[in-house]
Amino acid sequence: MSANETALATRAEPDRERARTTGRAHVVLPAFNEETALPVLLERLAEAALTEELTVWVVDDGSSDRSAAVAEAGFGGLDVRVVRHAVNLGLGRAVQTGLRAALEKAQDDDIVVVMDADDTHDPGLIRRLREEIAGGADVAICSRFVPGGDDRTAPPVRRLLSRGAAGLFRHALAVEGVRDFTSGYRAYRATLLARASAHWGERLIEEQGFACMVELLLKLRHCSPVIAEVPLALRYDRKQGPSKLKLRRTLGQYLKLLVRDRLSPAPYRKL
């Protein structure tokens, strides 16, 4: 039995939250200057919407290009909604804004998916993520570091950072079932996010950069979630334009987050 199967088996007690997972997928796309990538990605999401019930939330994080206009133009019959930041606030705030917008409309049986807006993630995996949550997971992560995963198209420095961070967090943090802590492509049970959001409010995501994905996992672990991973073949060769990841800054954010997690008390009540 795999680690994921064991985790699911140990959490097989009746739970109304886990009984309904056939609803809509709310796809959150944090976007900063993705005018070139968005049309291609929206087309691929429209193809996925032929068999999946999707609402796409594009969070335009103060882009200086036509990202918002491209998203508002949509693609075919795809349900695209745009939320704008007047200025660039960073990935963390964009994810937070997207999650809040999605949760305002989500039903209890819906899922919320976060993925990159640069067309490096395959929308076809939304079905796999939904299946994992339908099978009992609360969080499903598209992972580069499980059998079938692949990050070879990413630049060497980015691969080194992702793999190093994965090793560090796996040994330093008690989050069962996670190998790829920094993956930006995940699905969450809407009711799980709603519980966490009700507790932390605006503090659900405090990190501004790429460390926000790790921070959200660390806070959700206080809800005792079942976490599953599915293989992700990262398509960095599809990326248009330069990377927005700043190596030194991101390393500092990861280390600061690790220290803060060690020093922060657990929630004062069960979530």
Side-chain angles (χ1 to χ4, degrees):
M1 181 178 288
S2 69
N4 284 343
E5 290 171 337
T6 301
L8 294 180
T10 60
R11 292 293 302 278
E13 73 280 1
D15 187 331
R16 186 170 299 175
E17 280 188 3
R18 294 190 177 88
R20 302 173 57 205
T21 53
T22 58
R24 177 173 295 271
H26 295 265
V27 182
V28 175
L29 301 178
F32 176 62
N33 291 341
E34 297 292 358
E35 175 185 359
T36 305
L38 274 173
V40 183
L41 177 57
L42 292 177
E43 180 178 0
R44 298 172 73 205
L45 282 165
E47 292 175 2
L50 295 176
T51 55
E52 296 287 321
E53 220 181 336
L54 302 182
T55 295
V56 177
W57 300 85
V58 177
V59 182
D60 176 53
D61 189 27
S63 297
S64 58
D65 65 3
R66 297 183 63 257
S67 293
V70 168
E72 287 170 343
F75 189 91
L78 185 65
D79 182 7
V80 181
R81 309 183 189 193
V82 180
V83 185
R84 294 184 185 232
H85 288 170
V87 296
N88 180 243
L89 299 176
L91 178 62
R93 290 290 296 276
V95 171
Q96 171 99 306
T97 294
L99 294 181
R100 286 192 172 279
L103 286 175
E104 286 181 2
K105 300 296 183 181
Q107 303 298 313
D108 285 352
D109 56 345
D110 290 350
I111 64 172
V112 180
V113 178
V114 179
M115 62 188 298
D116 290 352
D118 59 3
D119 196 35
T120 59
H121 294 159
D122 178 11
L125 287 174
I126 292 174
R127 176 179 288 273
R128 289 289 310 276
L129 296 172
R130 186 196 294 278
E131 289 171 351
E132 289 293 338
I133 292 181
D138 299 295
V139 180
I141 300 172
C142 290
S143 173
R144 296 157 289 183
F145 309 136
V146 296
D150 188 355
D151 65 345
R152 286 176 293 181
T153 59
V157 172
R158 185 158 186 153
R159 291 183 71 194
L160 180 63
L161 175 63
S162 298
R163 289 174 176 270
L168 172 64
F169 289 124
R170 192 160 59 244
H171 287 93
L173 302 171
V175 185
E176 185 177 355
V178 182
R179 296 188 189 182
D180 197 341
F181 281 84
T182 61
S183 173
Y185 193 2
R186 302 176 186 163
Y188 306 91
R189 191 182 297 275
T191 49
L192 173 74
L193 283 178
R195 281 161 51 201
S197 181
H199 178 78
W200 274 284
E202 291 296 328
R203 294 179 53 246
L204 180 62
I205 298 178
E206 298 173 278
E207 293 290 338
Q208 295 182 356
F210 286 82
C212 70
M213 301 308 293
V214 183
E215 177 190 14
L216 185 54
L217 269 184
L218 296 183
K219 286 179 174 173
L220 290 177
R221 82 183 191 274
H222 294 296
C223 299
S224 301
V226 172
I227 303 176
E229 293 190 317
V230 301
L232 168 66
L234 183 69
R235 291 298 306 272
Y236 208 85
D237 52 319
R238 290 181 178 270
K239 185 173 178 60
Q240 305 283 336
S243 171
K244 300 176 180 67
L245 184 147
K246 306 299 182 185
L247 180 61
R248 184 176 299 176
R249 179 187 304 171
T250 303
L251 278 172
Q253 290 171 344
Y254 286 157
L255 293 174
K256 181 181 72 173
L257 179 63
L258 183 59
V259 172
R260 194 174 77 202
D261 181 74
R262 288 298 180 91
L263 298 177
S264 298
Y268 58 86
R269 60 181 172 81
K270 184 177 181 179
L271 301 185

